[in-house]
Amino acid sequence: MNNIQIKHNPSQNTFFPSGFITTEILIGLRLLKRLLASINNIWQFGSLVLLSIVFSAFFLVKVLSQSAIDHQAGPWLEERPHFIWSTSGCDSDLIDRITSDVLELGFDASIDCIRTRPISIVRAHSGPPVVAHTRALIYQPALRALLPGLRTNFQSARQTVIGSCLNGMDHDPLRTRDPDLHALVPECDLHERPLPIIAVGQRSSARNLLLAGQQVSAYARLASEHLPDMADITETPNRRDAIIYAVFETGIPYLDDAVIVPASFVENRGEWAADVIHLLAMRIHAPDTLEQLAAVHQHLKPAMQGHGVLIFSLVAGEIWETSAAVFKTLDLISGIVWTMTVLLTVISTGSAIEAQRKLFTLARVFGVRSPAITSFIFFFVILMVGAAMFLGAVLSLVCGTLLTTFSPQLHFTPQLDSYLGVIPVGLGLSIGVAVVLKWIHFKNDISDEFQRIAAGA
C-alpha cells in the first residue's frame, strides 16, 4: 500500500492551505486510478451503457423537439410582422423612437404604419345580397416589406376564374412595389367600365364566400337600417365598385380578416377618408429565437404606452404556445433522466466502492483523510456521468441522422448549445451524488469498518 501512504501533519488542517487541498486531490486521483484498475465487474460497464442510452434518448428528444420548433417558427420569424399596435397617431417621431430602442438591443427592424378603416362589402348572388363587415387595409409599398411572406391565389385564379379581365397581367400586383394597385389594371372592365381591384383575406373569403372574379360593392358606412332595402343602397354616394382579383393569406388572423384596397379607395373621397386607424407594424430582421422577440417586446412596452393596444404579437401566438408546451414536456423528461441517472450512478458507484472496501479501510488507517476520499468519489462520479453524456451525445447524433434519413417529416438539426447546456446540470448532479455516497459508505469510523470487513469475510 505504499502507493497511498502519506505523512500526516495535523498542523496542515488548521486553515486548509492550497498545498493541503492539492495533496488531498492528488490522493483522491490515485485512489480513483487504483479503483479503475481493479474494476472487472460487468455491472460497472453495464451501468455505463445504461447511462449512455438514457442520455442518448434525452439528447435525441431535446434536439428533435427544438428542431421541430425552429422549423415551425422559421416562416413566422422570417415572413410575418412580429408586432402590430393600434395607434392614435402613427407619426415619424414614434417610429424614430422605437427604431432607436430596437437598435439599442442590437437589432435592425422594418417599422411602418398601415392605414385601415371599417368597410362593408356587398356581394351579389342569385337572391338577396350578402353584406360582410370587415376592415380595409390601404395598400402601400411598405406593406410588402412588412409582409414578405404574403401569398395569394392569383395564378390559379387568373387561369380558372377571373378570365380575360386580368389575363394580360404576368405578375401578382401585391408582389410589386407599385404604390397604387388601381394603376396596374386600368382596363379591368368586366362591365364596360374600368374598376379597381381588391384582394380579400383568406378568413374573410372563407366566412363570406368572397371569391376571386366576383364584382362587389364596398361602402364606407352601411348602417343596419339599410339592410332591408338593399336595392336603395346601391345608389348611395359612398358606394365603390371593385373586382376581387385574388385571395391573400398572411398567417395573421387580424390581417386575414381584412381586404386590401388601393389608396384611391379612401384618399380624397370625403367620408371614405374618415375613421382611418393607423397600425404600427414591426418586423425584426434576423431574430434567432422567440425569446429574443419576447425581450424586444418587454423593452418596447414603455415606449408604446398611450399609443394604443397590441393587436398582434408573435410571442403570444401559436408558435410560442407550442414551444412552451414542448419545453414543459422536456422539463418532465429531464426530471426522469436525472432521476434515473442519480439512481444508476449511486448504485454503480456504490457497488465499486463496496468491492474495494478493504482498500479504503486500509487507506484510512494509513492517514488518508476525508477530503481525499470525497475528491475520489467526486472524480469517479464525474468520470462516469461525463463518459455517459459523451457516449449518449454521439449515439443521439447517429440515431438522429438515421431517423431524419428514413423519416423526412422529422427535423434533426443538432446545435452545440443543446449539448453544452447539460454540462452544468451534470456537474451539480455529480456533486450531489458524491455527497450522498460519502455519507453512505464512509460514515463509520475505522474500528467499525474492520468489524464490517470481518463480518463479510
Side-chain angles (χ1 to χ4, degrees):
M1 298 303 295
N2 292 333
N3 58 327
I4 60 172
Q5 186 176 4
I6 66 170
K7 294 182 179 180
H8 177 63
N9 185 357
S11 64
Q12 289 180 323
N13 286 333
T14 307
F15 296 105
F16 294 98
S18 59
F20 169 80
I21 296 174
T22 303
T23 300
E24 300 301 305
I25 290 176
L26 290 174
I27 294 173
L29 289 173
R30 291 166 67 185
L31 284 172
L32 176 62
K33 180 181 178 181
R34 175 69 178 82
L35 178 66
L36 292 176
S38 65
I39 288 179
N40 56 10
N41 189 345
I42 194 172
W43 163 249
Q44 302 294 329
F45 299 102
S47 298
L48 180 61
V49 172
L50 287 175
L51 278 175
S52 301
I53 293 174
V54 168
F55 274 112
S56 173
F58 171 71
F59 286 132
L60 190 62
V61 172
K62 183 179 178 66
V63 175
L64 282 173
S65 301
Q66 185 62 62
S67 300
I69 291 172
D70 292 342
H71 178 78
Q72 188 179 16
W76 288 71
L77 292 174
E78 297 170 3
E79 299 179 355
R80 293 164 171 81
H82 301 138
F83 307 104
I84 299 177
W85 282 275
S86 65
T87 62
S88 54
C90 192
D91 53 28
S92 59
D93 290 341
L94 176 62
I95 294 177
D96 291 342
R97 186 165 67 252
I98 293 179
T99 302
S100 177
D101 289 343
V102 174
L103 287 175
E104 287 182 7
L105 297 176
F107 293 102
D108 190 15
S110 293
I111 305 174
D112 217 310
C113 294
I114 302 174
R115 301 187 305 279
T116 180
R117 61 145 301 134
I119 192 173
S120 299
I121 301 291
V122 177
R123 61 178 176 83
H125 269 298
S126 55
V130 178
V131 180
H133 298 290
T134 181
R135 288 177 302 276
L137 299 178
I138 302 170
Y139 178 79
Q140 57 195 96
L143 196 63
R144 293 295 302 124
L146 294 167
L147 297 169
L150 184 145
R151 297 173 296 278
T152 74
N153 67 342
F154 167 73
Q155 291 298 336
S156 60
R158 184 169 67 93
Q159 296 170 7
T160 62
V161 177
I162 297 177
S164 61
C165 177
L166 299 179
N167 274 349
M169 298 178 59
D170 58 358
H171 59 274
D172 188 335
L174 282 182
R175 296 192 176 277
T176 71
R177 292 187 179 272
D178 191 295
D180 190 352
L181 287 174
H182 184 61
L184 295 175
V185 281
E187 298 178 358
C188 194
D189 51 357
L190 288 178
H191 297 276
E192 299 181 354
R193 58 188 176 119
L195 295 176
I197 60 173
I198 64 175
V200 179
Q202 184 271 334
R203 289 167 61 95
S204 186
S205 170
R207 184 172 58 251
N208 302 301
L209 293 180
L210 298 173
L211 307 175
Q214 291 179 344
Q215 179 179 340
V216 295
S217 296
Y219 298 86
R221 288 188 180 90
L222 193 57
S224 57
E225 57 267 20
H226 292 149
L227 295 181
D229 303 314
M230 295 300 295
D232 297 334
I233 64 169
T234 57
E235 303 302 326
T236 57
N238 68 355
R239 172 187 169 188
R240 298 295 315 280
D241 292 331
I243 295 174
I244 299 175
Y245 91 93
V247 175
F248 71 88
E249 183 177 7
T250 67
I252 300 174
Y254 183 87
L255 300 183
D256 289 345
D257 269 331
V259 298
I260 297 179
V261 302
S264 57
F265 243 65
V266 296
E267 292 179 348
N268 302 320
R269 290 187 176 272
E271 62 179 311
W272 278 91
D275 300 328
V276 173
I277 301 171
H278 293 86
L279 306 179
L280 185 141
M282 175 190 305
R283 187 166 66 89
I284 309 296
H285 294 304
D288 294 325
T289 62
L290 294 172
E291 285 76 9
Q292 289 182 346
L293 294 181
V296 172
H297 183 192
Q298 292 298 323
H299 188 75
L300 292 180
K301 274 185 176 180
M304 291 305 301
Q305 286 184 357
H307 291 279
V309 298
L310 183 63
I311 294 176
F312 172 80
S313 171
L314 178 58
V315 298
E318 178 183 350
I319 300 298
W320 182 260
E321 294 172 358
T322 302
S323 176
V326 169
F327 286 127
K328 287 180 180 178
T329 304
L330 285 178
D331 289 340
L332 177 61
I333 294 174
S334 298
I336 296 174
V337 167
W338 295 122
T339 301
M340 295 179 64
T341 303
V342 168
L343 294 175
L344 284 172
T345 306
V346 169
I347 294 172
S348 59
T349 310
S351 174
I353 293 173
E354 285 295 325
Q356 300 296 323
R357 172 66 60 183
K358 292 181 181 179
L359 169 67
F360 294 112
T361 302
L362 291 175
R364 293 170 68 184
V365 170
F366 281 100
V368 174
R369 288 166 287 234
S370 179
I373 294 175
T374 302
S375 66
F376 148 74
I377 298 175
F378 177 62
F379 289 131
F380 188 21
V381 175
I382 281 186
L383 179 64
M384 192 161 187
V385 173
M389 289 173 60
F390 175 78
L391 293 175
V394 173
L395 187 59
S396 73
L397 289 172
V398 174
C399 293
T401 303
L402 292 176
L403 283 174
T404 51
T405 300
F406 295 105
S407 301
Q409 67 271 22
L410 295 177
H411 303 280
F412 185 85
T413 307
Q415 298 178 357
L416 190 59
D417 291 346
S418 299
Y419 296 96
L420 295 182
V422 181
I423 292 179
V425 184
L427 184 61
L429 167 69
S430 300
I431 294 174
V433 172
V435 171
V436 171
L437 289 171
K438 173 65 166 52
W439 178 79
I440 292 175
H441 295 284
F442 296 96
K443 62 183 177 180
N444 299 325
D445 56 30
I446 295 177
S447 61
D448 291 335
E449 284 294 312
F450 277 116
Q451 292 179 6
R452 182 173 178 177
I453 293 172

